[in-house]
Amino acid sequence: MPGPRRRSVLVARLAGRAGRSPGAIVDDLRACILDGEVPPGSAIPVDGVAAAFGVSRIPVREALMTLIGEGLVDHRPNLGYRVAKLTLEEFAEIYLVREALETAALRVAVAQARREDDERALAAHAALEAAVRAGDGRAYHRESRGFHLALIRPCRMRRLLHMLGTAWNMTEPLQPMTHLGPADRELLHHDHAAMLAAFTARDPESLIAACAVHHGRLQSYIARLPRDTGLFAESP
């Protein structure tokens, strides 16, 4: 169970931020949760966060309410605020939502992409390649999202991208890609190469097919994630 050590990690990450605006408080809290340093189930001490920002508890609670609405924070009477946990079934469900949204975005993106979009996608893939070769699970997790975003941003559908980002954020605290072995990451990287090739060739059917293979592989990996880490909520 997350204890004082994890609580202190969050407060330490936020230390020295006095004078930040209320909007910055929610942004900074969100960033700490999304980078995986504060795992699901970790306590969020309101007083400690308020002291780090040099504010009263009111703007901290307001920021936490925003994050509750985003599915990143839970609040329970007598237990306080914690980084939200998902059940394994909820986790898999969000990946299905992500696949549907990403597929819709890719169909438009590949039709509207320009040379500069290809360059961004190639650069994102190179960063992902470096993470694979370095065997760095955290970097791989970060760069994988960057690669997917490079492919879908050319759709320029603001609301769809916002919905996809919100869904993606809900799975970030667990850092799922860091739980994979090198062989699994290699297979996912092969999928990414196929997606990149189809994107730059402006081949929508091959791109969607490669995306479907990729998400099918992700679902199989999700089913194998260890349940005894304390990072998942218990299924009802």
Side-chain angles (χ1 to χ4, degrees):
M1 292 293 293
R5 184 184 66 82
R6 285 185 177 169
R7 288 198 297 269
S8 65
V9 167
L10 174 63
V11 174
R13 289 286 308 277
L14 296 171
R17 305 198 187 200
R20 299 276 280 166
S21 69
I25 293 174
V26 69
D27 289 343
D28 290 353
L29 280 169
R30 184 189 296 110
C32 285
I33 292 171
L34 294 183
D35 72 6
E37 288 294 324
V38 189
S42 298
I44 303 175
V46 174
D47 288 338
V49 174
F53 284 105
V55 297
S56 71
R57 304 176 93 195
I58 293 173
V60 174
R61 286 197 177 113
E62 290 174 346
L64 291 171
M65 288 301 295
T66 297
L67 297 177
I68 288 173
E70 295 177 9
L72 295 177
V73 171
D74 283 333
H75 180 263
R76 295 184 181 180
N78 303 320
L79 292 178
Y81 297 91
R82 292 182 179 272
V83 178
K85 282 186 176 183
L86 298 168
T87 67
L88 191 58
E89 292 76 15
E90 289 170 334
F91 199 81
E93 180 183 346
I94 291 171
Y95 266 80
L96 288 175
V97 171
R98 279 175 43 179
E99 180 181 5
L101 293 171
E102 184 172 354
T103 300
L106 285 173
R107 286 193 182 278
V108 178
V110 71
Q112 297 188 163
R114 300 187 287 261
R115 179 178 296 178
E116 56 265 34
D117 297 311
D118 290 344
E119 292 171 353
R120 293 187 189 99
L122 288 164
H125 190 264
L128 187 55
E129 173 82 17
V132 171
R133 298 302 160 229
D136 187 336
R138 287 184 64 84
Y140 179 84
H141 183 92
R142 181 181 64 251
E143 300 301 344
S144 177
R145 181 169 183 170
F147 173 74
H148 282 264
L149 288 176
L151 295 187
I152 64 175
R153 276 181 177 144
C155 78
R156 299 174 180 87
M157 301 168 73
R158 183 170 57 86
R159 291 177 178 82
L160 190 155
L161 292 173
H162 174 74
M163 287 188 290
L164 179 56
T166 299
W168 203 307
N169 284 350
M170 292 173 70
T171 64
E172 285 293 86
L174 192 130
Q175 299 279 296
M177 295 299 101
T178 65
H179 297 273
L180 301 180
D184 291 335
R185 287 198 287 268
E186 283 282 359
L187 288 173
L188 291 174
H189 193 50
H190 177 78
D191 297 342
H192 290 143
M195 293 170 69
L196 178 64
F199 179 83
T200 56
R202 303 293 184 264
D203 183 346
E205 297 311 314
S206 294
L207 176 58
I208 299 308
C211 181
V213 169
H214 184 64
H215 277 276
R217 203 185 306 276
L218 287 172
Q219 285 288 346
S220 71
Y221 292 161
I222 289 167
R224 288 164 28 204
L225 286 173
R227 296 176 180 237
D228 59 354
T229 59
L231 299 177
F232 288 110
E234 293 185 9
S235 299

